Structures are given as structure tokens and as C-alpha cells.
Amino acid sequence: MPDFMSSPFDQIPAKKQPKPAGAPPAGPANAKLPESGWGAIHRGACGRCPRCGDATLFRAFLKPVEHCSACRQDWTHQQADDFPAYVSIFLTGHIMAPVIIALVQETKLSLPALAAIILPLMLGLMILFLQPAKGGIIALQWWFGMHGFAKERRAPERTDREE
């Protein structure tokens, strides 16, 4: 009897990413790993490497570097796709909603004047949030070991009481 619950897509082989020649392996020994996922997201949102925090994460506005220049972490595994745009629109909408309501209710501006204030402000906020959102999402993927990233954590620090 055929198995109707499986499909050819269940057996997709994983793509192997080539390692750069002569690159030292990324490991906890040569990186200052963040203490928490929030720390990694903060580093990514600031445009820094989420793993070590030393090098830049982006080589262009939304184009991440292939490898961190400090810790050699491979960033080609990231698959942020459209999620940064959704986050940017979500944040912009939540900031602009009260601003729009206040402008409409508290001022007697004409429709063209309102549009001249609201549209550039919305576009500016969306563009402003786009790169930090992408950096945070890349950091989140790295922290949880998604899409081929190795799940790394800082070793717990030992205190005198534990010994």
C-alpha cells in the first residue's frame, strides 16, 4: 500500500556550503559569545557580528558579509528572506498609528498636508528599521542554530561556591 502521507519534498537533500580555503574554523575559543539570545539580537540589530560583537555584519545596507572578519563565522547560512520587512512594517505601523490619530484629531490640516507629513515619516521609519530588523533576525537564526548554523553557547562561569 502506498504511503500517502509522504511526498518527494520530504526527502530533499541538504545543500552543502563550501568552506573558504584557509579559513580557521569558527569555535568558542576565538569568540566572545553573547550571554543570552537578547545579547545576540542586540549585537545583530546594531550591525555587529552576533557571535563575537567585534566586526560588522553588513557589507552593504542589507547584504550581510559572507564571513566575520574577527571570528570567521560563516553568515551564508542566513535566510532572513522577507521577515525583516514584516518586522519593519509592524514597528512602523505601531509607532505611526497614534501619530496619525493625533494629527487627524488634534489639527485642522488638509488631506494633502497630512499626506505630506505622514508618508515621508512612514517611509523613513520603515527604511530606518529594516537593517536592524535583518541583523536581529540573522542573530536569532544563529542563536537557535537554524539553517545550518551551529548552536553555540557561552560556557557557564564557575564561582567559588561551586567548587
Side-chain angles (χ1 to χ4, degrees), residues 22-26 30 71-72:
N30 61 353
C71 69
R72 302 302 300 159

Side-chain angles (χ1 to χ4, degrees), residues 15-95:
K15 292 181 183 178
K16 299 276 182 177
Q17 294 289 337
K19 296 274 184 188
N30 61 353
K32 295 173 282 204
L33 296 175
E35 292 182 13
S36 67
W38 290 112
I41 292 169
H42 182 262
R43 287 179 180 181
C46 290
R48 310 301 297 167
C49 172
R51 186 168 183 265
C52 67
D54 291 335
T56 60
L57 183 59
F58 296 99
R59 64 181 162 101
F61 182 64
L62 290 176
K63 190 73 169 175
V65 295
E66 290 186 11
H67 295 88
C68 175
S69 61
C71 69
R72 302 302 300 159
Q73 172 65 42
D74 181 12
W75 295 114
T76 57
H77 300 295
Q78 68 86 20
Q79 295 180 11
D81 299 332
D82 293 336
F83 194 44
Y86 291 124
V87 171
S88 179
I89 290 168
F90 179 80
L91 292 174
T92 300
H94 279 78
I95 290 171

Side-chain angles (χ1 to χ4, degrees), residues 84-113:
Y86 291 124
V87 171
S88 179
I89 290 168
F90 179 80
L91 292 174
T92 300
H94 279 78
I95 290 171
M96 287 301 298
V99 171
I100 293 169
I101 291 169
L103 279 174
V104 170
Q105 287 183 347
E106 302 298 327
T107 65
K108 302 288 184 207
L109 294 173
S110 65
L111 190 58

Side-chain angles (χ1 to χ4, degrees), residues 127-147:
I127 292 170
L128 181 74
F129 286 137
L130 202 52
Q131 187 183 40
K134 183 160 185 171
I137 290 163
I138 291 171
L140 192 68
Q141 290 176 359
W142 169 78
W143 181 257
F144 286 111
M146 299 167 65
H147 309 297

